[in-house]
């Protein structure tokens, strides 16, 4: 039996919605163009902004006596993953104190989601039907790449109501009904902050109802955290939902996909982490989960990249650099808010059709 590559089986796909638009922008010869595609922070001149904390960390790293480009362990840079967990969970997190946390380094948030998709497919099992696979519930709408990531791993996705276009608000009743109606053991992907693409986040009391419904109906929450600190300027405020899920009175395990692309401006360095939080301490399960997550990393990328992780680790573990980073977050989030207010005011002034109001991260 012979085999070959053939256009009969290899079909050309359309360009990626986001990066395809970016390519068209670059090719456009007009000089009065503005890039509103891929979400990357720019300065007043439209240029990439390297955070002052990153510049300081790079200088420290490159001038350190042990600076090198050696391989990291399969699970990544431990100093980074430990510090990253404290950033998202808080220094006083119960999960950290009770040793219920398993963390590995990933290729930013997208890589974290991919690792999690493989982990869920292989290990999130039902004793009643071990061969069945969980359904991943995504908000309607959601980030363009979410569906593709999970479908690519062989998992089915479904949508839960989120944005009520008529009222420009959260469809909480529809959200809660979807949680109740979903098959037991489903996975609900939750945007930790700055919901993409709406920018509308649940209020704390709404989050409690959502998390309670997920727990009561036997589901698993999966948090996608891509904008912590970049959204409001406050690391703690932007991680409120995650910390409530971890430290509140809930019995579910939790998965977190964490990215440092936006909030440290390390877009191309692909710095991220996967955190698995178990409902109770189980040393054997901790070790088993760590080994299986590491196997996924080893099989796909061998080990994660080191440079960006070392930079972020220095920022998170050096008090002076962390203080500067927190100021950088305020600088970016404040300027973004001011720019949106000015644009909204101009749209209203011009009589642009539509209702122009600001909330959360986007309109």
């Amino acid at each position: 039996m012979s085999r070959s590559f053939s256009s009969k089986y290899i079909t050309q796909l359309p360009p990626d919605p986001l990066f395809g638009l970016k390519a068209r922008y670059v090719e456009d010869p007009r000089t009065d163009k503005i890039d509103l595609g891929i979400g990357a922070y720019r300065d007043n001149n439209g240029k990439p902004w390297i955070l002052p904390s990153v510049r300081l960390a790079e200088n420290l790293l490159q001038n350190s006596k042990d600076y090198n480009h050696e391989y990291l362990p399969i699970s990544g840079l431990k100093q980074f993953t430990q510090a990253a967990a404290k950033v998202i969970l808080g220094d006083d997190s119960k999960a950290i104190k009770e040793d219920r946390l398993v963390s590995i380094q990933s290729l930013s948030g997208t890589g974290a989601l991919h690792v999690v998709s493989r982990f869920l497919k292989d290990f999130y099992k039902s004793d009643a039907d071990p061969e069945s696979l969980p359904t991943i519930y995504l908000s309607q709408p959601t980030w363009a790449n979410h569906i593709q990531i999970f479908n690519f791993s062989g998992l089915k996705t479904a949508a839960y109501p989120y944005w009520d276009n008529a009222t420009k608000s959260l469809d909480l009743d529809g959200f809660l009904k979807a949680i109740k109606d979903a098959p037991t053991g489903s996975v609900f992907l939750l945007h930790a902050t700055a919901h993409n693409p709406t920018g509308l986040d649940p209020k704390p009391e709404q989050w409690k109802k959502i998390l309670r419904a997920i727990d009561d109906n036997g589901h698993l929450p999966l948090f996608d955290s891509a904008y912590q600190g970049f959204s409001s300027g406050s690391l703690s405020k932007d991680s409120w939902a995650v910390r409530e899920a971890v430290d509140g009175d809930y019995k579910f395990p939790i998965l977190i996909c964490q990215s440092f692309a936006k909030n440290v401006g390390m877009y191309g360095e692909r710095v991220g982490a996967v955190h698995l939080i178990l409902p109770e301490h189980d040393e054997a399960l901790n070790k088993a989960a760590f080994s299986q997550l590491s196997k996924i990393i080893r099989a796909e990328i061998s080990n994660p990249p080191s440079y960006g992780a070392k930079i972020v680790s220095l920022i998170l573990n050096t008090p002076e650099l962390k203080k500067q980073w927190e100021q950088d977050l305020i600088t970016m989030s404040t300027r973004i808010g001011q720019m949106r207010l000015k644009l909204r005011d101009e749209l209203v002034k011009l009589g642009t059709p539509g209702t122009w109001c600001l909330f959360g991260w986007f309109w």
Side-chain angles (χ1 to χ4, degrees):
M1 179 177 63
S2 63
R3 295 180 182 273
S4 66
F5 294 114
S6 167
S7 58
K8 179 180 178 180
Y9 304 109
I10 303 176
T11 57
Q12 183 173 345
L13 297 173
D16 179 86
L18 290 177
F19 283 88
L21 181 62
K22 175 68 174 181
R24 290 166 56 196
Y25 169 83
V26 171
E27 294 171 359
D28 192 322
R30 290 175 291 183
T31 58
D32 57 345
K33 59 185 180 181
I34 299 175
D35 184 2
L36 298 178
I38 297 171
Y41 185 83
R42 294 291 183 261
D43 64 16
N44 285 328
N45 297 312
K47 302 297 183 182
W49 188 57
I50 299 176
L51 277 60
S53 56
V54 171
R55 288 193 182 276
L56 291 169
E58 286 186 306
N59 183 62
L60 280 177
L61 176 63
Q62 293 172 10
N63 288 286
S64 63
K65 61 181 181 180
D66 57 351
Y67 177 55
N68 60 64
H69 296 285
E70 294 295 298
Y71 290 122
L72 291 181
I74 295 170
S75 59
L77 185 65
K78 190 173 183 179
Q79 302 96 303
F80 160 68
T81 54
Q82 288 179 333
K86 289 182 178 180
V87 166
I88 189 74
L89 302 179
D91 291 335
D92 299 323
S93 171
K94 291 180 181 179
I96 296 175
K97 290 182 177 180
E98 297 169 3
D99 193 22
R100 297 188 283 115
L101 172 68
V102 179
S103 301
I104 63 161
Q105 187 180 329
S106 66
L107 292 176
S108 200
T110 302
L113 286 161
H114 174 69
V115 170
V116 161
S117 72
R118 294 298 303 271
F119 189 74
L120 287 168
K121 182 180 180 182
D122 291 343
F123 302 111
Y124 188 48
K125 298 293 186 181
S126 165
D127 288 338
D129 185 5
E131 298 304 313
S132 66
L133 298 177
T135 298
I136 313 299
Y137 280 78
L138 308 170
S139 64
Q140 177 60 40
T142 193
W143 178 49
N145 210 19
H146 275 149
I147 296 174
Q148 181 171 252
I149 290 170
F150 291 103
N151 289 169
F152 191 74
S153 290
L155 294 171
K156 291 189 293 186
T157 57
Y160 61 81
Y162 190 86
W163 171 258
D164 186 330
N165 194 52
T167 62
K168 304 294 188 291
S169 64
L170 178 68
D171 182 2
L172 182 61
D173 290 339
F175 194 164
L176 295 176
K177 184 177 186 301
I179 295 172
K180 182 179 179 181
D181 292 345
T184 301
S186 296
V187 178
F188 277 79
L189 189 147
L190 309 170
H191 299 231
T193 188
H195 179 272
N196 185 353
T198 69
L200 174 64
D201 294 329
K203 296 178 174 62
E205 290 307 311
Q206 293 174 321
W207 268 122
K208 290 182 179 179
K209 291 180 180 179
I210 292 165
L211 295 171
R212 175 54 58 203
I214 290 174
D215 194 33
D216 288 347
N217 289 276
H219 304 314
L220 185 149
L222 164 58
F223 284 98
D224 185 357
S225 179
Y227 299 100
Q228 186 189 1
F230 194 77
S231 175
S232 71
S234 168
L235 291 168
S236 59
K237 181 178 179 180
D238 291 347
S239 60
W240 189 93
V242 173
R243 296 181 186 185
E244 167 64 20
V246 173
D247 295 332
D249 184 24
Y250 309 103
K251 298 180 178 63
F252 44 47
I254 300 166
L255 281 164
I256 302 170
C257 296
Q258 183 181 22
S259 169
F260 288 91
K262 304 291 196 300
N263 58 8
V264 188
M266 302 293 282
Y267 305 102
E269 301 298 340
R270 315 312 292 146
V271 186
V274 173
H275 305 290
L276 168 64
I277 297 153
L278 300 172
E280 58 186 26
H281 174 68
D282 185 334
E283 186 173 357
L285 184 53
N286 269 26
K287 290 181 178 180
F290 181 78
S291 71
Q292 294 292 349
L293 287 167
S294 297
K295 181 182 178 182
I296 295 171
I297 294 293
R298 177 61 171 159
E300 298 199 346
I301 62 171
S302 188
N303 39 36
S306 65
Y307 185 77
K310 290 177 179 178
I311 296 299
V312 177
S313 180
L314 274 173
I315 291 173
L316 301 184
N317 289 298
T318 308
E320 295 83 1
L321 294 183
K322 188 175 182 184
K323 183 178 180 181
Q324 177 60 56
W325 176 50
E326 290 171 345
Q327 181 56 54
D328 296 341
L329 291 170
I330 293 172
T331 297
M332 290 189 290
S333 60
T334 300
R335 180 170 170 271
I336 289 171
Q338 292 172 343
M339 290 172 65
R340 289 184 176 133
L341 282 170
K342 290 180 180 179
L343 178 56
R344 188 276 311 272
D345 291 345
E346 188 66 18
L347 290 169
V348 173
K349 178 181 176 181
L350 293 172
T352 309
T355 301
W356 301 101
C357 58
L358 290 176
F359 54 81
W361 214 77
F362 293 95
W363 288 290

